[in-house]
Amino acid sequence: SGIPFEELTHYESDKEMTMFRLIPNTAISEMESMTLIASRNATKEQEQLMLDIFNQMGLAMLIPEEKIAATTAMTSCGIAYVLKYIQAAMQAGIEARRDDLSSGLDNTAREVATIERDDLSGTQGCGDLKAAYETAKRLVDSKSDDYDALTKAQQNLTTAMSGCATNLDPTDREKVFGQPQGTLKEDKE
């Protein structure tokens, strides 16, 4: 599309050949393109055929060749590339959140098993840890792309661990979390 008709005719033996210059944009993949069409030596029927074909993939417009540069700037793919970049950044954020959540699940599984084994589920806050763990594990295992749900699962895990650790006596806390006695403020007092 970037080569003018005059230059294209140098590569053809038939200098009066019908030619079209087409400039679709990336929205064509969603059937929402704004396709610009310039023609040389085309009949009205040929131009209409090109419009009919490209109108099926969005909108198409016939323009004079000298207007291609200006109209390309207005219908160009620039915004689509920006949106693709934003989409990629969002996906990277989701994957980072999921990886962050996943990284602590093995430890949490051991903590939940210890709570159940030592019958500490009745300790205020400790019963919530299993439910928070199961929700987080389900989201990670399903490769959830729901950033808000992943964030809430991380927050719920943190809240449940904190609540459980606060209410366990120092000996049980060390068994569950591997945290040495005397590390919480109230243990030092």
Side-chain angles (χ1 to χ4, degrees):
S1 67
I3 303 172
F5 288 133
E6 189 171 321
E7 189 176 332
L8 288 171
T9 60
H10 294 300
Y11 301 107
E12 292 297 325
S13 58
D14 181 1
K15 305 296 183 203
E16 299 305 313
M17 165 186 227
T18 299
M19 295 182 185
F20 290 93
R21 288 181 62 192
L22 302 167
I23 304 177
N25 58 27
T26 57
I28 203 165
S29 66
E30 303 296 322
M31 305 301 265
E32 297 287 336
S33 180
M34 178 66 239
T35 303
L36 305 174
I37 303 172
S39 67
R40 178 179 180 274
N41 297 330
T43 65
K44 293 290 179 202
E45 292 80 19
Q46 289 171 321
E47 288 177 341
Q48 189 58 53
L49 177 62
M50 294 301 281
L51 286 170
D52 291 345
I53 290 169
F54 283 92
N55 275 327
Q56 292 180 26
M57 294 172 255
L59 296 174
M61 177 189 301
L62 277 172
I63 59 170
E65 182 184 27
E66 61 272 8
K67 302 280 187 194
I68 282 184
T71 53
T72 297
M74 292 178 4
T75 63
S76 170
C77 306
I79 190 66
Y81 290 124
V82 169
L83 294 174
K84 286 285 187 188
Y85 174 81
I86 291 169
Q87 181 184 27
M90 289 171 47
Q91 188 62 37
I94 289 167
E95 289 172 14
R97 170 60 71 197
R98 191 173 48 237
D99 290 348
D100 183 46
L101 183 58
S102 175
S103 68
L105 288 181
D106 288 343
N107 287 339
T108 307
R110 284 191 292 276
E111 293 158 358
V112 167
T114 301
I115 289 168
E116 289 179 340
R117 181 193 70 217
D118 293 356
D119 197 28
L120 300 170
S121 296
T123 304
Q124 185 178 349
C126 292
D128 299 334
L129 187 56
K130 182 177 181 180
Y133 164 76
E134 288 171 348
T135 299
K137 180 113 172 75
R138 181 180 42 77
L139 289 168
V140 167
D141 288 349
S142 70
K143 297 190 183 326
S144 173
D145 280 344
D146 186 339
Y147 185 85
D148 293 336
L150 293 165
T151 299
K152 183 150 182 62
Q154 182 73 54
Q155 291 168 340
N156 289 344
L157 269 177
T158 302
T159 300
M161 282 183 194
S162 193
C164 182
T166 299
N167 293 304
L168 287 172
D169 66 53
T171 303
D172 287 337
R173 184 171 45 248
E174 186 173 355
K175 280 194 280 184
V176 173
F177 297 105
Q179 186 174 12
Q181 295 179 23
T183 56
L184 291 178
K185 181 181 177 187
E186 59 270 10
D187 292 338
K188 293 180 182 182
E189 294 172 351

